[in-house]
Amino acid sequence: YATTTSIARLEDDYFNGATSQDGYGILSQRGTQFLWFLGVDDLSTIPALQFTSADAEPSNIMSVVSVNRDLFAIKQKSTEIMYNGGDATTPFVRDASGFMEVGTLASDSIAKDQTSVYMLGDDSRVWRIAGRQPMPISTEGIDDLIAQESYTSQRQAVGAVINYRGRNEYVLTFNGLTIAYDTTTGLWHEKKSFGMDTWRARGHCV
């Protein structure tokens, strides 16, 4: 965290997700159900009372992501959608209709594009949440490839949305495998870098 005079580093395992919306920084706390809200347009402090819990079911939160002003609190066994209700202390509250019984095995597998969230589900399938509708997008063949990866490899999976020649791909890398989903055609393929079983890239920015 940063102040006007110093920068200090939090422990690596304290938070497992971060996003922003409406001027707030939003953090998910590892091993809990808590979301913390940093001050409006002020990311230098975490107010002690400015938090809420995603507790519609008891699993822990894995990450948080904002898409089209919906705030997705993605947990081990479920996903809860929140919105900015305008309260200064607890600005984001659960949407009564925004609960989905799909979570994720891997915090780092979560990625988004302009309309959707992608992740490795708690059932070891790949899921896309488009709007508020979750659906599995991995085929039987892709599920078989994922099943060949160990549980540790699945938990360490890293996902990213890559824009390539004007098309988005969701790329998911395990310890021994990289697979990519073309969000336009709905087709899958594998990626490898020279001399490797996986693709070297782990992210993308413009």
Side-chain angles (χ1 to χ4, degrees):
Y1 63 94
T3 70
T4 56
T5 58
S6 67
I7 296 177
R9 183 173 178 269
L10 293 170
E11 294 297 323
D12 286 341
D13 61 355
Y14 199 80
F15 296 113
N16 56 7
T19 190
S20 62
Q21 188 182 126
D22 298 342
Y24 290 94
I26 304 158
L27 305 172
S28 55
Q29 184 178 346
R30 188 185 304 274
T32 73
Q33 299 180 344
F34 294 144
L35 293 174
W36 294 86
F37 309 111
L38 285 66
V40 177
D41 298 324
D42 175 14
L43 304 185
S44 65
T45 59
I46 305 174
L49 299 179
Q50 202 154 294
F51 70 94
T52 192
S53 59
D55 55 5
E57 61 85 28
S59 67
N60 290 329
I61 196 163
M62 297 293 279
S63 194
V64 60
V65 63
S66 175
V67 180
N68 291 328
R69 299 189 74 242
D70 276 338
L71 186 67
F72 292 81
I74 302 171
K75 302 172 63 179
Q76 293 168 315
K77 296 295 183 181
S78 66
T79 298
E80 299 180 30
I81 296 178
M82 300 185 175
Y83 68 96
N84 189 344
D87 184 89
T89 302
T90 310
F92 292 87
V93 294
R94 184 188 304 123
D95 188 317
S97 62
F99 178 81
M100 292 164 278
E101 292 195 25
V102 57
T104 185
L105 281 176
S107 296
D108 290 337
S109 74
I110 300 166
K112 71 165 196 170
D113 60 18
Q114 296 90 338
T115 61
S116 304
V117 177
Y118 303 86
M119 63 186 178
L120 179 66
D122 57 298
D123 58 358
S124 297
R125 305 177 74 189
V126 182
W127 286 76
R128 177 183 189 176
I129 303 175
R132 298 186 171 202
Q133 297 299 318
M135 56 185 148
I137 56 174
S138 52
T139 63
E140 184 176 354
I142 293 296
D143 291 341
D144 288 343
L145 287 175
I146 294 173
Q148 294 174 30
E149 294 292 310
S150 68
Y151 182 66
T152 297
S153 176
Q154 292 183 34
R155 288 187 56 129
Q156 294 173 347
V158 177
V161 170
I162 308 290
N163 185 274
Y164 180 69
R165 294 181 178 176
R167 297 168 72 166
N168 284 343
E169 295 178 353
Y170 171 64
V171 181
L172 186 60
T173 299
F174 302 88
N175 291 342
L177 171 73
T178 297
I179 50 179
Y181 173 79
D182 187 313
T183 65
T184 301
T185 65
L187 299 177
W188 286 89
H189 62 276
E190 292 187 53
K191 289 183 181 291
K192 291 184 179 183
S193 291
F194 181 75
M196 299 175 62
D197 292 328
T198 60
W199 198 42
R200 189 181 299 275
R202 294 293 187 274
H204 176 252
C205 66
V206 177

